[in-house]
Amino acid sequence: MQEIQTAAELRAWSRSTRASGATVGLVPTMGALHEGHLSLVRAARQRGDRVATSIFVNPTQFGPNEDFARYPRTFAADCALLEAEGVEVVFAPAVEEIYQPGASTFVEVKGLSQRLDGASRPGHFRGVATVVAKLFAAAEPERAYFGQKDAAQVAVLRRMVADLLLPMELVVCPIVREADGLAMSSRNRYLSAEERAESLALSRAVRAGEAAFARGQRSAESIRSAARHELERSPAVRADYVALVDWATLLPVETAAAGHLLAVAAWVGTTRLIDNCILGN
Ligand code: PAF
């Protein structure tokens, strides 16, 4: 596996890969890799793409009081995992490579970026859209792979790809869960043993909403309250939001239908976790 630090080298690799008749799949990550990330790599390989994975803890998507400084950085272990999955390139730029001195261009997907996680984390999606646009510009992939766990991020990036007329496909892969239901996340490693047990409230909340829909419930408020009830049963869990929205616009719906996104975010101790499902899936 080749380790690349500059956008120019990544673009050169991508272009020579394409010249050889292959397609390029990009898996953007912030490292601290787990099975969720590896499922994206496997999806890309299954589609026949040659895979580049980026590992970059992007400062602009963290708020001033968030976990940028302590975000887990496990580069050597990440590389071993990626190599075993047949990834060809790991792109691990320095902050100054991505944000060159004097950088003053940001990508803002208006409206969408202020909803769900964007409402709780002002500026977060501006940072995400900006770094992902830069990664796309450097890698020029045919496809880029993201997890459904970050469903609001997916909505923002789908809009960005369409609005910027980017000639690429965004592939969304299913949520990968631990055996007991917790959605995999690099932040799960912040949880104490007690918090880890309490964190199951999120997947239970999602399942409760899903079950209400499957039973024929169509009132958005009833579905949300079934989910909220599960979060409230856990004393160590503090709900941030429980939302039932149109996945494309992230706007709330009154009447639930197949394809709508039920999303929850909650604090377990000092760790903020998210989970979701697509109704009727
Ligand atoms: O989902 C993530 O890990 C990050 O938001 C991403 C897409 C790699 C951008 O930094």
Side-chain angles (χ1 to χ4, degrees):
M1 188 172 70
Q2 214 182 320
E3 202 182 307
I4 287 179
Q5 273 96 29
T6 67
E9 284 171 285
L10 179 60
R11 190 173 299 118
W13 171 80
S14 171
R15 290 186 180 179
S16 77
T17 299
R18 195 163 305 103
S20 75
T23 52
V24 170
L26 177 69
V27 178
T29 81
M30 297 204 300
L33 302 182
H34 50 67
E35 278 296 314
H37 297 111
L38 300 183
S39 77
L40 306 180
V41 169
R42 289 175 198 141
R45 300 248 302 151
Q46 244 159 32
R47 291 286 286 264
D49 292 340
R50 311 250 305 261
V51 183
T53 299
S54 60
I55 296 183
F56 180 66
V57 185
N58 173 36
T60 64
Q61 70 187 74
F62 290 81
N65 299 318
E66 293 186 353
D67 56 340
F68 174 69
R70 72 174 185 127
Y71 197 83
R73 287 156 171 90
T74 56
F75 188 68
D78 291 347
C79 286
L81 290 170
L82 295 175
E83 184 134 40
E85 294 294 335
V87 167
E88 289 195 25
V89 161
V90 60
F91 178 53
V95 171
E96 304 71 41
E97 174 68 9
I98 297 296
Y99 298 101
Q100 307 257 329
S104 54
T105 302
F106 286 85
V107 177
E108 183 152 8
V109 181
K110 284 198 184 289
L112 280 170
S113 291
Q114 279 77 47
R115 297 174 195 147
L116 299 191
D117 307 287
S120 319
R121 304 181 66 191
H124 170 65
F125 285 131
R126 181 185 195 245
V128 170
T130 300
V131 78
V132 171
K134 288 171 186 256
L135 293 171
F136 289 173
E140 300 179 333
E142 269 72 30
R143 280 174 282 278
Y145 295 79
F146 295 89
Q148 185 200 306
K149 205 211 61 181
D150 297 303
Q153 168 171 281
V154 165
V156 168
L157 295 177
R158 277 181 171 150
R159 186 74 255 166
M160 180 188 83
V161 166
D163 289 352
L164 296 182
L165 313 176
L166 299 180
M168 56 175 294
E169 184 190 348
L170 214 142
V171 181
V172 182
C173 299
I175 298 176
V176 178
R177 296 181 181 280
E178 303 286 356
D180 59 6
L182 178 66
M184 289 201 186
S185 161
S186 303
R187 290 189 167 96
N188 290 350
R189 57 183 89 194
Y190 294 153
L191 301 170
S192 68
E194 196 185 311
E195 290 167 347
R196 173 67 184 74
E198 297 283 339
S199 69
L200 292 179
L202 278 93
S203 51
R204 279 201 304 264
V206 165
R207 279 204 309 273
E210 214 170 13
F213 181 75
R215 284 196 305 272
Q217 186 57 259
R218 292 295 177 268
S219 142
E221 182 41 34
S222 308
I223 292 172
R224 282 194 303 263
S225 85
R228 208 178 297 115
H229 177 68
E230 286 300 325
L231 295 180
E232 284 164 359
R233 276 183 346 126
S234 294
V237 173
R238 185 165 52 85
D240 177 0
Y241 65 71
V242 174
L244 184 59
V245 298
D246 177 304
W247 195 5
T249 62
L250 301 182
L251 287 169
V253 296
E254 288 302 318
T255 306
H260 286 157
L261 170 71
L262 173 64
V264 303
W267 291 92
V268 184
T270 55
T271 305
R272 186 176 177 279
L273 300 175
I274 57 176
D275 202 344
N276 70 76
C277 70
I278 307 301
L279 293 182
N281 252 17

